[in-house]
């Protein structure tokens, strides 16, 4: 099987994730979609690594995983806090990011 | 001897500075100090006069170079004086009449709390006027020219609390400034043509310039002369200038300053002689003004304004004479000197009358004053006889010479000019007789004023009557002195040149004709004002009378042509400056503000819309990258 | 190296600004005296500059030069030096500032009933800002490095902004708040206008550097180096480049000057600020604009200057007439004086671009005389306004009756403004007219009409405020106090002196003008005579 197909899969996953971020209101689902996009990127990196025959891509993927893990920790905490404060996990309710 | 010239100019200027800076301390002696300094100038002038007499005719001139004033490359302006026969004549007139009027003012202004200032301004005027006639270049003359304008402004507006006086002062200055622009442009032209503006190089090489240039310079000088000498079309300020104290009217607006225009043209004779077109314009201006002033003078009931019309008319004679060229210069100056004496005398007489009549100026409220003011009556009467050209008084000689010169012009022009001047002479006799009859003859017509005070006409104090007597003496004998042996003509000839035209009528005929029309004028005035009592309220009168009372509509014309459009223009420009010029700037600023207001809307606070813009941006970047690779 | 006199002249007010600003809040009077002392010391240094300046034949063009390296990578140097024009302008600045401080002695005191907060020190700030402006103005007159000049040209906007926005007249009918709003509008307008100009100039400055870097061994901002390179033929700017660079410089200077149609900031700024600050704007700061035209526009871009002359002269003529007409239409006396200044700046620019000795010499004299004359007129107007609390002409009338000295000095200031012979401005105005007329006759004649208009607006102002019956509420108007007389008296004396004996000044200025003219390769037109022979041939 040619590695290109992995790239197509990665693109598909990324698009799905992007749609999830844009279309869903529930913060948890948005969050999961972001994870999906990150992993799509990981998949693409690993695929490139395979295609070019070096380990750079895999190393990058590890970094992404670590960053994603850290982000999940902070992000989930924020979502929980917001839920406690507003009794809602909808992203549209919290339109306070402006002056 | 030369160094005296600077002193002559400096003395009154020094007086003005001392009086203005000295403050209240000088209130009690200031007027005597000023009068003394004027007298010092007069004495110096006499000393210099005798010094000049000792020299030979051709080089009767003194020069004094004080310092280099504005040296910039080829532009070399000096403060330097030149005293020749022409200047000397003026200096003698200015200092003698000036001193007399200083003396007169001591009495006239006795009760004015700002008398010190008045004398400071009078001294300032004297200094500026002497500077004007003694300068040896046009730029320094310009300084004196505007200096007398300033003094005139200050003195016309001396009673500043009266809005009419303040307005008249401003008007005089601004109208004069229009004339001054003419002088400025003339100097500019001289500089670009001759590379200098001193009398000697300019007048010496005048014939080397083209006639067009000379005509230009001549017309610009004429514009200046029109402004200062109240000639048509810049005449409108003189009547209003009568708002000033009467000594001012006598000194500045009758005897000296207003004749500066005649001086300017006579001085620039070399330019005019080579520019016949400019001369023609001078003649026309003179002829028009001489009739204009006379007509206005016939209709005014305000004694000073009637005399102001007369001044205009007499200067018209002089102007006309200068326009005739070398056949007229000498007689223009001669008439100027005699006019200086008799007109100053008339004004001082008018001042004396006003002094005794609680400052009433309306002649319809005078009448029969000869019994109450005998000295005034006699001096005024002598000056009156002089101005109407009564045989063997000063005005007779000088005016006849001008009329004769007019006929000498030859051809149709000669007849027209002579005719106009004879008509002017008749009008002169008419309006002067009218003034005389309305003021000194007939029944008393004065009434109590609004506060119930009835004027008690009385003779003025000695300090006022002495100058009047001296001036009356001058009016009577000055012409006689000039005429005998033609000494005056020989005296001025080296400066102004002299030619004899070829007149179709003889001297004697002109004299007879002038006397004839004079008698006609007197008779006409007697017919209207002497035969029957003068009505205390002016009758409506014909169209011409009404127009003449309004100064032949000159102010109406100026208003319609300049003031009103000017007001609209400035108002329009203020509006435009605010709306258009400033509007563009503020508009630019506002459009930036509006743009940022719109852009702000994009920041709506919704996380997902930010995400959209992020994805959009990323997609654009990708697309751009791909496109770049494709190219 | 000899004693750095120019640096000392500029440093004195700079130090003065810091010291004055540091005075504690309660010691207001001490701050005033300190500011006066420092400004007088500056005047002393300026006098030394004047004395050390050599006007003899064969003297260097730029004297008292100082040169230190500063930003070597870009060829920026700390280079100072003055020619006759610079000396005259520095002298004007140094002379005027002490009078402005004296005139504004009480302008920045806390308002009545206002208890100043312990750390709030408006008085100290006011005088410190004035001294700061003085320092920067002197440096821009002395800088011979284009970049150095640019820095001070822009930097002086900052203290000026605060001076305009922070200090105003006694509140009139608009009330405190309305006035504050007007003031901040004026200050922002001033800043934006001048910043915009400065930005354009910055682009041109960088362009100049690139052009020099292209053709010389290394890029330079040094005026002397560029002039030398031009003279030797090493540096030849392409026509298009030169014109663009000229425009960049000229627009900045035209805004500063201000020339029509970029003048509208001046009436606002002068109207809203206190009289001394208004004088500071028009008599000192704006002069940097016209001065820089003379030194940088003509010196650096002679060909482009000649190319732009017709347009510039037209703008100058429009400014003369337009400014005068608008002055006539004003109801606010400070704005009237501001528009009169626009008219006068037209004369200055006209003289500069007439490219004759008389024109440029006259323009330089004009800058000085206008500075002093406007100072005299504006400061007296300020004294009057501070007494009544209104700037409207209609609120006054008959003032000469209660305050004859005030009216008298006002009249003399006004007469100087309308260029009466015997006062300094006459000499300069006539020189400008002569210089213009000898090359462009029509322009000269049009400019002459400014003479009449000036008489009109000055005398109308005088008539409406000082003469006629006394207006209600002015019965107890006090006459000039000793301090005010001490401020106005010497200025009037100076005006009369410069009108009667301007030779010391022309002696200083003439050689510099000759140099500038040789930069632009122009000579004075010669007289036409004898014309008759010419036409015969």
């Amino acid at each position: 099987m040619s590695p290109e197909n992995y790239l197509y899969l990665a693109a598909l996953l990324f698009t799905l994730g992007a749609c999830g971020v844009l279309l869903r209101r529930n913060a948890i689902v948005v969050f999961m979609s972001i994870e999906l996009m990150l992993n799509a990127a990981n998949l693409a990196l690993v695929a490139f690594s395979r295609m070019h025959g070096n380990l750079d891509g895999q190393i990058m993927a590890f970094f992404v995983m670590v960053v994603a893990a850290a982000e999940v920790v902070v992000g989930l905490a924020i979502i929980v806090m917001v839920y406690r404060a507003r009794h809602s996990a909808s992203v549209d309710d919290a339109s306070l990011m402006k002056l | 001897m030369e160094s005296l010239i600077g002193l002559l100019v400096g003395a009154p200027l020094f007086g003005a500075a001392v009086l203005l800076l000295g403050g209240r301390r000088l209130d009690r002696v200031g007027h005597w100090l000023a009068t003394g300094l004027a007298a010092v100038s007069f004495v110096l002038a006499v000393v210099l006069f005798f010094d000049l007499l000792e020299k030979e005719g051709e080089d009767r001139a003194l020069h004094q170079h004080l310092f280099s004033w504005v040296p910039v490359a080829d532009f070399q302006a000096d403060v330097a004086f030149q005293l020749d026969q022409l200047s000397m004549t003026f200096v003698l007139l200015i200092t003698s009449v000036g001193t007399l009027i200083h003396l007169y003012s001591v009495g006239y202004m006795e009760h004015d709390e700002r008398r010190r200032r008045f004398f400071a301004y009078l001294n300032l005027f004297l200094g500026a006027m002497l500077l004007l006639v003694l300068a040896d270049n046009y730029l320094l003359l310009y300084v004196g020219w505007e200096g007398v304008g300033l003094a005139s402004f200050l003195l016309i507006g001396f009673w500043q609390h009266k809005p009419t006086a303040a307005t008249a002062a401003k008007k005089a200055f601004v109208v004069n400034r229009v004339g001054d622009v003419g002088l400025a442009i003339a100097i500019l032209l001289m500089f670009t043509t001759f590379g200098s503006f001193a009398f000697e190089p300019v007048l010496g090489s005048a014939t080397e310039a083209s006639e067009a240039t000379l005509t230009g310079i001549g017309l610009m000088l004429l514009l200046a002369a029109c402004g200062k000498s109240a000639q048509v079309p810049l005449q409108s300020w003189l009547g209003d200038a009568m708002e000033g104290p009467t000594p001012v009217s006598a000194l500045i607006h009758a005897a000296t300053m207003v004749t500066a225009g005649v001086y300017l043209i006579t001085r620039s004779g070399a330019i005019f002689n080579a520019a016949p077109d400019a001369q023609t314009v001078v003649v026309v201006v003179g002829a028009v003004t001489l009739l204009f002033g006379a007509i206005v003078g016939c209709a005014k009931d305000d004694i000073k304004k009637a005399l102001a019309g007369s001044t205009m008319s007499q200067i018209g004679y002089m102007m006309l004479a200068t326009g005739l060229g070398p056949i007229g210069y000498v007689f223009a100056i001669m008439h100027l000197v005699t006019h200086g004496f008799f007109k100053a005398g008339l004004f001082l007489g008018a001042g004396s009358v006003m002094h005794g009549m609680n400052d009433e100026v309306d002649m319809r409220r005078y009448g029969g004053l000869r019994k109450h003011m005998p000295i005034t009556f006699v001096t005024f009467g002598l000056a009156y006889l002089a101005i109407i050209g009564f045989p063997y008084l000063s005005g007779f000689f000088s005016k006849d010479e001008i009329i004769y010169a007019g006929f000498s012009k030859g051809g149709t022009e000669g007849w027209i000019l002579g005719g106009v001047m004879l008509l002017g002479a008749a009008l002169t006799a008419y309006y002067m007789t009218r003034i005389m009859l309305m003021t000194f003859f007939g029944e008393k017509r004065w009434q109590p004023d609004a506060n119930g005070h009835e004027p008690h006409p009385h003779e003025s104090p000695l300090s006022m009557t002495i100058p009047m007597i001296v001036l009356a003496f001058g009016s009577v004998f000055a012409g006689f002195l000039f005429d005998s042996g033609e000494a005056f003509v020989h005296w001025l000839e080296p400066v102004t040149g002299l030619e004899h035209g070829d007149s179709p009528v003889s001297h004697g005929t002109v004299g007879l004709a002038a006397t004839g029309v004079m008698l006609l004028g007197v008779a006409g005035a007697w017919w209207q004002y002497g035969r029957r009592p003068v009505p205390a309220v002016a009758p409506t009168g014909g169209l011409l009378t009404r127009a003449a009372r309004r100064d032949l509509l000159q102010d109406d014309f100026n208003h319609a042509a300049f003031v009103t459009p000017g007001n609209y223009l400035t108002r329009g420009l203020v509006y435009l400056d605010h709306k258009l010029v400033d509007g563009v700037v503020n508009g630019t600023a506002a459009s930036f503000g509006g743009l940022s207001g719109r852009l702000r809307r994009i920041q709506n606070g919704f996380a997902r819309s930010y995400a959209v813009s992020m994805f959009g941006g990323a997609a654009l970047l990708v697309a751009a990258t791909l496109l770049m690779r494709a190219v | 190296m000899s004693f750095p006199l120019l640096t000392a002249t500029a440093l004195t007010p700079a130090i003065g600004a810091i010291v004055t600003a540091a005075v504690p809040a309660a010691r207001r009077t001490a701050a005033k005296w300190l500011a006066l002392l420092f400004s007088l010391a500056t005047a002393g240094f300026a006098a030394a500059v004047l004395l050390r300046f050599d006007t003899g034949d064969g003297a260097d063009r730029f004297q008292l030069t100082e040169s230190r390296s500063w930003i070597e990578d870009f060829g920026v140097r700390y280079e100072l030096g003055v020619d006759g024009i610079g000396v005259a302008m520095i002298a004007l600045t140094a002379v005027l500032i002490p009078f402005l401080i004296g005139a504004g002695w009480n302008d920045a005191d806390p308002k009545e009933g206002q208890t100043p907060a312990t750390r709030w020190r408006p008085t100290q700030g006011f005088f410190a800002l004035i001294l700061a402006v003085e320092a920067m103005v002197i440096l821009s007159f002395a800088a011979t490095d284009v970049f150095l000049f640019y820095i001070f040209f822009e930097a002086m906007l900052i203290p000026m902004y605060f001076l305009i926005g922070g200090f105003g007249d006694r509140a009139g009918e608009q009330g405190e708040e309305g006035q504050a709003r007007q003031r901040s509008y004026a200050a922002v307008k001033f800043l934006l206008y001048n910043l915009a100009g400065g930005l354009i100039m910055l682009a041109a400055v960088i362009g100049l550097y690139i052009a020099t870097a292209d053709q010389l061994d290394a890029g330079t901002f040094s005026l002397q180096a560029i002039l030398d390179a031009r003279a030797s033929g090493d540096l030849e700017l392409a026509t298009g480049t030169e014109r663009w660079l000229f425009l960049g410089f000229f627009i900045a200077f035209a805004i500063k000057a201000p020339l029509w149609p970029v003048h509208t900031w001046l009436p606002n700024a002068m109207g809203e600020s206190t009289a001394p600050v208004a004088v500071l704007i028009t008599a000192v700061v704006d002069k940097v604009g016209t001065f820089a035209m003379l030194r940088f526009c003509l010196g650096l871009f002679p060909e482009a200057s000649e190319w732009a002359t017709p347009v510039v002269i037209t703008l100058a003529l429009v400014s003369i007439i337009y400014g005068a007409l608008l002055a006539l239409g004003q109801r606010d006396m400070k704005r009237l004086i501001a528009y009169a200044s626009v008219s006068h700046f037209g004369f200055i620019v006209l003289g500069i671009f007439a490219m004759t000795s008389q024109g440029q010499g006259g323009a330089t004299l004009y800058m000085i005389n206008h500075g002093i004359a406007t100072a005299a007129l504006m400061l007296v107007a300020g004294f009057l306004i501070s007494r009544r609390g209104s700037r409207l002409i209609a609120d006054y009338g008959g003032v000469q009756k209660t305050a004859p000295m005030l009216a008298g000095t006002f009249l003399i200031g006004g007469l100087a403004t309308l260029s009466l012979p015997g006062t300094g401005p006459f000499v300069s105005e006539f020189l400008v007219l002569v210089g213009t007329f000898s090359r462009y006759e029509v322009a000269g004649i049009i400019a002459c009409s400014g003479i009449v208009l000036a008489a009109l607006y000055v005398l109308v102002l005088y008539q409406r405020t000082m003469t006629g019956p006394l207006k209600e509420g002015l019965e107890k108007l006090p006459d000039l106090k000793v301090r005010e007389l001490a401020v106005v008296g010497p200025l009037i004396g100076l005006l009369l002196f410069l009108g009667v004996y301007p030779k010391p000044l022309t002696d200083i200025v003439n050689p510099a003008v000759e140099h500038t003219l040789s930069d632009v390769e122009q000579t004075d037109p010669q007289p036409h005579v004898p014309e008759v022979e010419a036409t015969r041939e």
Side-chain angles (χ1 to χ4, degrees), chain B residues 67 69 71-72 139 142 146 160 166-167 170 173 177 188 192-193 207-210 213 570 574 577 582 585-586, chain C residues 185 189 193 263-264 322 325-326 339 358 400 418 421 426 451 462-463 467-468 499-500 510 527-529 531-532:
Chain B
F67 55 88
W69 182 27
V72 177
L139 196 67
Y142 187 80
E146 289 234 320
Q160 293 179 321
T167 310
K170 181 193 73 186
F173 195 91
R177 267 252 153 161
L188 298 181
T192 52
T193 313
T207 45
E208 286 173 40
S210 69
T213 315
T570 49
V574 169
D577 192 55
D582 219 12
V585 176
N586 284 341
Chain C
Y185 171 74
K189 199 170 178 179
Y193 252 113
H263 63 277
T264 50
Y322 187 88
L325 284 175
L326 272 152
Y339 276 110
Q358 292 86 29
Q400 61 88 23
L418 64 77
F426 167 71
I451 297 180
Y462 179 78
Q463 186 198 353
T467 68
V500 175
N510 281 343
H528 307 317
V529 147
E531 280 179 334
V532 175

Side-chain angles (χ1 to χ4, degrees), chain C residues 332-373:
Chain C
D332 172 330
M333 61 174 101
K334 279 165 109 180
R335 287 178 67 93
L336 189 152
I337 299 172
Y339 276 110
S341 284
V342 172
S343 179
H344 288 140
F345 279 111
F347 271 109
I348 296 175
V349 175
L350 187 68
I352 293 174
F353 278 83
M355 312 267 186
T356 51
S357 326
Q358 292 86 29
Q360 295 187 343
T364 310
L365 256 59
Y366 211 123
M367 290 188 228
I368 292 165
N369 287 322
H370 169 256
I372 304 171

Side-chain angles (χ1 to χ4, degrees), chain B residues 155-156 159 162 164-165 168 239-245 249 304-305:
Chain B
L155 287 167
I156 296 172
W159 289 315
K162 285 200 297 186
T164 46
D240 294 348
M242 296 301 126
E243 289 289 343
S249 311
K304 285 178 72 183
K305 292 200 169 166

Side-chain angles (χ1 to χ4, degrees), chain B residues 13 69-70 124 128 131 138-151 173 177 180-181 183-184 187 228, chain C residues 412 414-430 451 455 495-502:
Chain B
L13 287 179
W69 182 27
V70 193
L124 174 68
L131 190 65
Y138 282 96
L139 196 67
L140 195 60
L141 183 148
Y142 187 80
V143 175
W145 192 264
E146 289 234 320
V148 292
L150 168 70
F173 195 91
R177 267 252 153 161
D180 295 350
V181 169
L183 186 52
I187 297 175
K228 195 105 305 181
Chain C
I412 298 178
L415 291 174
T417 303
L418 64 77
S419 303
L420 191 84
T423 62
F426 167 71
V427 175
S428 41
E429 190 163 302
F430 206 84
I451 297 180
L495 277 174
L496 295 178
F497 177 75
L498 288 179
V500 175
Y501 195 58

Side-chain angles (χ1 to χ4, degrees), chain B residues 86-288:
Chain B
L86 182 60
S87 306
M88 193 70 242
T89 313
F90 269 88
V91 169
L92 284 174
L93 174 73
I94 294 161
T95 50
S96 59
V97 176
T99 309
L100 287 174
I101 289 178
H102 270 76
L103 186 63
Y104 178 88
S105 308
V106 171
Y108 192 84
M109 300 298 283
E110 199 175 355
H111 305 294
D112 198 296
E113 55 176 358
R114 292 164 69 234
R115 181 163 63 164
R116 176 177 54 84
R117 258 164 201 261
F118 181 81
F119 276 89
Y121 297 159
L122 272 190
N123 261 1
L124 174 68
F125 167 76
L126 220 52
M129 190 70 205
L130 289 170
L131 190 65
L132 196 165
V133 296
L134 283 169
D136 93 329
N137 62 68
Y138 282 96
L139 196 67
L140 195 60
L141 183 148
Y142 187 80
V143 175
W145 192 264
E146 289 234 320
V148 292
L150 168 70
S152 162
F153 166 79
L154 292 169
L155 287 167
I156 296 172
F158 186 72
W159 289 315
Q160 293 179 321
H161 51 91
K162 285 200 297 186
T164 46
T167 310
K170 181 193 73 186
K171 183 176 175 185
F173 195 91
V174 171
V175 175
N176 265 300
R177 267 252 153 161
V178 176
D180 295 350
V181 169
L183 186 52
I185 294 178
I187 297 175
L188 298 181
L189 268 170
M190 286 174 200
F191 180 71
T192 52
T193 313
F194 303 102
S196 170
F197 38 79
F199 291 154
E200 217 180 307
V202 171
L203 301 174
S205 52
T207 45
E208 286 173 40
S210 69
E211 199 183 310
T213 315
L214 290 176
T215 308
I217 297 177
L219 289 178
M220 285 300 124
L221 289 175
L222 174 65
L223 179 65
C226 283
K228 195 105 305 181
S229 296
Q231 301 292 294
V232 175
L234 296 178
Q235 81 291 23
S236 64
W237 63 272
L238 187 62
D240 294 348
M242 296 301 126
E243 289 289 343
T246 309
V248 173
S249 311
L251 177 60
I252 302 185
H253 305 120
T256 56
M257 184 191 88
V258 285
T259 56
V262 180
Y263 170 78
L264 183 68
I265 293 183
T266 310
R267 175 59 82 194
S268 318
I271 291 172
F272 282 92
N273 293 345
D277 292 345
Q279 279 187 319
T280 311
V281 182
V282 175
V283 168
V284 171
V285 165
V288 170

Side-chain angles (χ1 to χ4, degrees), chain B residues 314-326:
Chain B
Q314 298 300 317
I315 297 173
Y317 273 105
M318 302 170 207
M319 213 46 123
L320 200 160
T322 56
L324 296 174

